[in-house]
Amino acid sequence: MTEAAEKYFNRLYPDGEFKLASTDPEFAEFFANFSCDEVVNQDDLDDRTRMMAILAALLGCQGIDEFREVLPGALNLGVTPVEVKEIVYQACAYLGIGRVRPFFDAVNEVLTEKGIALPLEGQATTTIEDRVEKGEHAQVDIFGDGMKGFATSGPEESRHINRWLSGNCFGDYYTRKGLDYGQREMITFCFLAAQGGCEPQLTSHAAGNMKVGNDKAFLIKIISQCLPYIGYPRSLNALRCVNEAAARQ
């Protein structure tokens, strides 16, 4: 590794070693130098935000093995257990429980190994009675007044899905403590960018990010830091969506 790559790797994993170094030394060298030096030192994104974005991107691309490898380093760099749990919980709204379920096991195993008692303290702020109302309020806070009345809008045969978006996607997840709106929109952007095939929603959430203070420059930093984990095609698609959202502002 370069000196800078080794320094960053040692902050991620004190006394650890790059696990592919013994079997694939050439790959280990250039990947570590790229991801732990060139990419990390491209911008001034803080470690905690970088690692939250990477965890969300690994959920989005179904990188369960790499997620398990990265998670201890994320905790070492300041991501809290509550924040990790909130990232995994919210992923269900954008990926579905079928794809997220293995990540619960990975998180619970790592936290247990670190001696962290489970379950963690609850973060809910809504009830079954007010989740739709508060969820729609969150939509308005993030996307603007055009979201007022969203839960009861749309054709009758599909109106229930709009109600679910307000009550479940936003009421059950976005209203929770542990992450603020800016962090939640950022991880949503990562979920969508990493899974691919949902560019209209990615463009919409790029715009939502901008409305809560995550500007174009910030989103480009997020894409850049996730690129080693999701590859160039999806990163370039995400960049195009950010540019489209910025042009509409």
Side-chain angles (χ1 to χ4, degrees):
M1 295 188 200
T2 64
E3 183 178 348
E6 187 170 3
K7 180 179 179 181
Y8 186 75
F9 184 83
N10 288 337
R11 291 179 58 225
L12 276 170
Y13 310 109
D15 303 319
E17 61 179 286
F18 202 85
K19 292 191 176 179
L20 292 174
S22 60
T23 57
D24 300 272
E26 291 181 328
F27 173 82
E29 179 180 324
F30 66 68
F31 185 80
N33 288 340
F34 179 57
S35 62
C36 292
D37 181 357
E38 192 171 0
V39 173
V40 165
N41 291 306
Q42 170 61 34
D43 53 53
D44 60 354
L45 200 67
D46 66 274
D47 291 330
R48 180 163 153 266
T49 300
R50 175 188 299 110
M51 298 310 298
M52 289 172 63
I54 289 171
L55 291 176
L58 288 169
L59 274 148
C61 73
Q62 294 295 277
I64 181 63
D65 292 332
E66 190 66 17
F67 181 94
R68 196 184 300 269
E69 293 291 325
V70 166
L71 180 54
L75 294 166
N76 289 338
L77 291 185
V79 182
T80 69
V82 167
E83 289 166 343
V84 172
K85 284 282 190 175
E86 291 304 311
I87 291 169
V88 174
Y89 288 6
Q90 190 172 313
C92 290
Y94 295 94
L95 307 174
I97 189 63
R99 288 188 284 176
V100 175
R101 182 64 179 82
F103 292 84
F104 278 87
D105 294 336
V107 170
N108 291 336
E109 288 169 10
V110 170
L111 294 183
T112 299
E113 288 168 3
K114 287 184 169 290
I116 297 169
L118 298 174
L120 302 179
E121 181 180 357
Q123 303 295 316
T125 67
T126 61
T127 65
I128 195 68
E129 291 79 19
D130 64 13
R131 60 199 279 272
V132 175
E133 177 187 355
K134 290 186 176 180
E136 187 176 290
H137 183 75
Q139 289 175 289
V140 172
D141 285 344
I142 296 168
F143 296 101
D145 288 343
M147 300 303 293
K148 287 182 178 178
F150 180 83
T152 56
S153 67
E156 184 177 355
E157 66 269 21
S158 60
R159 194 171 299 157
H160 64 284
I161 296 179
N162 285 358
R163 186 177 71 253
W164 289 349
L165 277 165
S166 293
N168 176 238
C169 184
F170 287 88
D172 287 342
Y173 296 103
Y174 273 72
T175 61
R176 293 174 60 81
K177 297 178 289 182
L179 299 174
D180 60 28
Y181 283 160
Q183 292 167 325
R184 290 192 180 279
E185 271 301 288
M186 184 266 288
I187 63 171
T188 294
F189 178 84
C190 294
F191 297 146
L192 296 172
Q195 68 177 303
C198 45
E199 279 69 31
Q201 292 82 6
L202 181 57
T203 302
S204 295
H205 279 281
N209 268 275
M210 293 173 192
K211 287 179 179 177
V212 296
N214 296 337
D215 63 13
K216 178 181 176 179
F218 174 84
L219 292 176
I220 292 174
K221 292 177 185 178
I222 293 298
I223 295 168
S224 301
Q225 296 304 314
C226 292
L227 187 150
Y229 302 89
I230 67 174
Y232 285 93
R234 290 178 181 179
S235 298
L236 292 171
N237 283 348
L239 181 59
R240 176 173 56 81
C241 293
V242 168
N243 287 332
E244 288 179 7
R248 298 174 188 175
Q249 295 295 301

